[in-house]
Amino acid sequence: LIKPHLMKLSYDQYANYIIQALIEKLPEPRQEFSQEFLNTRDEMLRNQYASRVLQKMVQYRDNEFT
C-alpha cells in the first residue's frame, strides 16, 4: 500500500518521520523497503530528509545482525 509512495514520502519534510517509525516498529517494512533504498541510496544521501530515513534503515538493519 505504501510502497509506491515510499520514495516520495522519504523526501518529505514531515512524512519522512512516518517512514522512520515504520522502520523502527515493524520488521516487515524494513525488509520490503531495503532494496528500494539500496537502489537509490546515493540520491537519498543528498537530501536532508531522505538521508534520515536511510540512516534509520542502516541502524535497524545493523541491530538485526547483532
Side-chain angles (χ1 to χ4, degrees), residues 7 13 15 28 37 40 56:
M7 296 313 293
Q13 181 178 1
E28 295 82 20
F37 291 145
T40 60
K56 186 68 72 173

Side-chain angles (χ1 to χ4, degrees), residues 2 6 20 29:
I2 197 171
L6 178 64
Q20 289 182 60

Side-chain angles (χ1 to χ4, degrees), residues 2-57:
I2 197 171
K3 192 169 181 177
H5 308 287
L6 178 64
M7 296 313 293
K8 183 178 178 181
L9 295 172
S10 295
Y11 284 82
D12 184 82
Q13 181 178 1
Y14 302 107
N16 80 84
Y17 291 106
I18 304 293
I19 302 302
Q20 289 182 60
L22 288 172
I23 291 167
E24 196 173 330
K25 305 290 183 200
L26 304 171
E28 295 82 20
R30 263 180 273 184
Q31 296 166 352
E32 187 178 330
F33 300 165
S34 185
Q35 189 59 45
E36 187 86 24
F37 291 145
L38 287 175
N39 291 338
T40 60
R41 69 181 177 270
D42 293 337
E43 183 181 325
M44 289 181 76
L45 288 171
R46 293 186 197 106
N47 180 277
Q48 65 179 339
Y49 307 118
S51 63
R52 295 174 189 167
V53 172
L54 191 60
Q55 180 181 5
K56 186 68 72 173
M57 176 62 79

